[in-house]
Amino acid sequence: MDTYTLDQQGDPKNQTIVYRDFAELYCQNINWLAPFIRKNVHNPSDAEDITQDVFERLIKKMSQQQTPQQITFSGNIRAFITTIAKGIIIDSWRRKELERQYLQYLTDLQEDDIVQDFDFTEIVDAIFILDQMLRALDDKVRYAFLLSHLYDKTYAEIAVQMDISERTVKAYMAKAMLHCMKMRSRLELDQ
């Protein structure tokens, strides 16, 4: 059973909710979440997958902070779950767009240019992960990183092109590499 505690002003948005376990958390919130996701994702199968992904992500986040005997949540639980759901929905839209663009790229290739032995899913997964990693970087850091890795520019050349010092380029590259290492660690933990 969940218990509700209102804040000092009696505001239900700032309530504390205690759930016995994740099953209760799921049962208390699935009835409003599933229709919300179905409204935003028109494929029923994708909507079901996203709904389960929301709870999986919620369980991961909360299990790092809670004891398995009870789950305490302070704040607006619906807003928190909705934020997670929106993030996953946006990721799924991005992924579908990347898939569409990659399929268009393959369609535009000449037959001689196509590699026959490839796993489409693995390639799209890699592109999606790279896209997420790059989007998380600051614009200048991302630009310096791409100049270095896609165009093989030296730090000195990047400094000239971006009109910054070489020391700043090194700092940007260090930030980008640290971010890559953190993301890789996170991906390894998820597997």
Side-chain angles (χ1 to χ4, degrees), residues 1-169:
M1 175 176 291
D2 43 339
T3 58
Y4 300 89
T5 308
L6 300 179
D7 71 357
Q8 292 177 348
Q9 289 80 28
D11 185 355
K13 291 180 184 171
N14 294 321
Q15 59 191 338
T16 299
I17 303 173
V18 180
Y19 295 100
R20 282 189 310 257
D21 54 26
F22 288 116
E24 183 179 25
L25 173 72
Y26 182 89
C27 290
Q28 293 286 325
N29 292 286
I30 189 67
N31 292 331
W32 66 265
L33 180 63
F36 168 79
I37 293 175
R38 278 193 302 272
K39 184 176 85 178
N40 289 286
V41 178
H42 302 294
N43 180 329
S45 177
D46 288 346
E48 287 177 18
D49 289 345
I50 289 171
T51 302
Q52 297 313 312
D53 288 349
V54 168
F55 282 103
E56 181 182 335
R57 194 169 294 177
L58 183 63
I59 287 168
K60 281 182 184 176
K61 284 182 185 224
M62 295 183 83
S63 65
Q64 295 168 353
Q65 305 164 351
Q66 306 285 327
T67 62
Q69 292 78 23
Q70 75 176 30
I71 302 156
T72 305
F73 183 84
S74 296
N76 187 333
I77 186 76
R78 283 189 178 206
F80 183 65
I81 292 174
T82 301
T83 299
I84 292 172
K86 286 178 180 178
I88 293 173
I89 290 168
I90 289 168
D91 283 349
S92 80
W93 291 340
R94 248 188 226 133
R95 183 182 178 88
K96 287 189 185 307
E97 178 59 18
L98 287 170
E99 286 176 9
R100 188 196 64 70
Q101 288 176 3
Y102 185 66
L103 284 172
Q104 183 61 47
Y105 168 77
L106 289 176
T107 303
D108 293 344
L109 283 176
Q110 299 297 325
E111 235 180 88
D112 297 340
D113 296 333
I114 298 175
V115 177
Q116 296 302 318
D117 295 330
F118 70 90
D119 183 346
F120 177 76
T121 305
E122 285 183 22
I123 292 171
V124 171
D125 285 346
I127 292 170
F128 182 70
I129 290 167
L130 182 60
D131 178 62
Q132 282 184 313
M133 190 264 318
L134 291 172
R135 284 179 186 269
L137 293 172
D138 177 66
D139 291 344
K140 291 178 181 178
V141 174
R142 179 176 49 246
Y143 187 55
F145 180 81
L146 291 173
L147 287 173
S148 174
H149 290 280
L150 289 182
Y151 299 103
D152 293 323
K153 300 271 187 182
T154 66
Y155 288 4
E157 291 171 328
I158 294 169
V160 169
Q161 186 165 342
M162 293 182 67
D163 195 28
I164 56 177
S165 70
E166 197 169 333
R167 183 175 180 187
T168 302
V169 173

